Amino acid sequence: MKKLITSAFFAFAVLTASASNDLSEINSQASDIARRMANQVELNEMEYIQVKKYTTEKLIRVAQIKDMYSNDRDMMNKKIMEEESAYTHRIQNLLTAKQFETYAALYNSFKTNLTIIAISE
């Protein structure tokens, strides 16, 4: 019985540590993305905080989608695109028209560069 309880506790500790590492990685990525957006799109502090919040939420949802649909690539891609669309809509509602125009240009440039990199590899 002691071995079972100890094993269960150890498994719980490992899963908790893994989840917290994932969450700290997501928070780090969200901070980096928001910081770059703040510089390139000229966000004020309130906008930066909101962008970081929205980005963190998006990254968490994308991670959940990847876990849920790991066996169904088409559904996973569809759900990620839906999440990306919702994120873009939230960003558009937050930013001014000029800021969003800059964001959209940077986003499209980034997607194009990723496609070029993927094709060349």
Side-chain angles (χ1 to χ4, degrees), residues 26-37:
I26 285 173
N27 285 330
S28 175
Q29 288 176 353
S31 294
D32 183 50
I33 291 168
R35 196 173 313 111
R36 284 187 277 144
M37 277 184 66

Side-chain angles (χ1 to χ4, degrees), residues 8-93:
F9 178 75
F10 180 72
F12 178 74
V14 168
L15 290 174
T16 303
S18 174
S20 68
N21 285 340
D22 291 344
L23 189 56
S24 82
E25 178 66 26
I26 285 173
N27 285 330
S28 175
Q29 288 176 353
S31 294
D32 183 50
I33 291 168
R35 196 173 313 111
R36 284 187 277 144
M37 277 184 66
N39 292 332
Q40 296 173 341
V41 182
E42 299 178 3
L43 302 177
N44 64 35
E45 188 168 347
M46 191 272 309
E47 291 166 338
Y48 168 81
I49 291 168
Q50 284 299 111
V51 165
K52 183 178 174 190
K53 177 184 170 196
Y54 293 161
T55 304
T56 302
E57 291 170 357
K58 179 188 97 169
L59 293 174
I60 289 170
R61 285 190 197 111
V62 167
Q64 291 170 342
I65 289 167
K66 286 180 178 180
D67 284 344
M68 261 192 266
Y69 298 103
S70 61
N71 295 332
D72 187 353
R73 199 130 178 89
D74 291 336
M75 182 60 82
M76 178 175 47
N77 290 336
K78 179 183 174 203
K79 293 290 186 182
I80 289 173
M81 292 303 292
E82 288 174 2
E83 185 59 41
E84 192 67 40
S85 177
Y87 173 77
T88 301
H89 181 72
R90 292 174 85 184
I91 294 294
Q92 184 176 14
N93 289 336

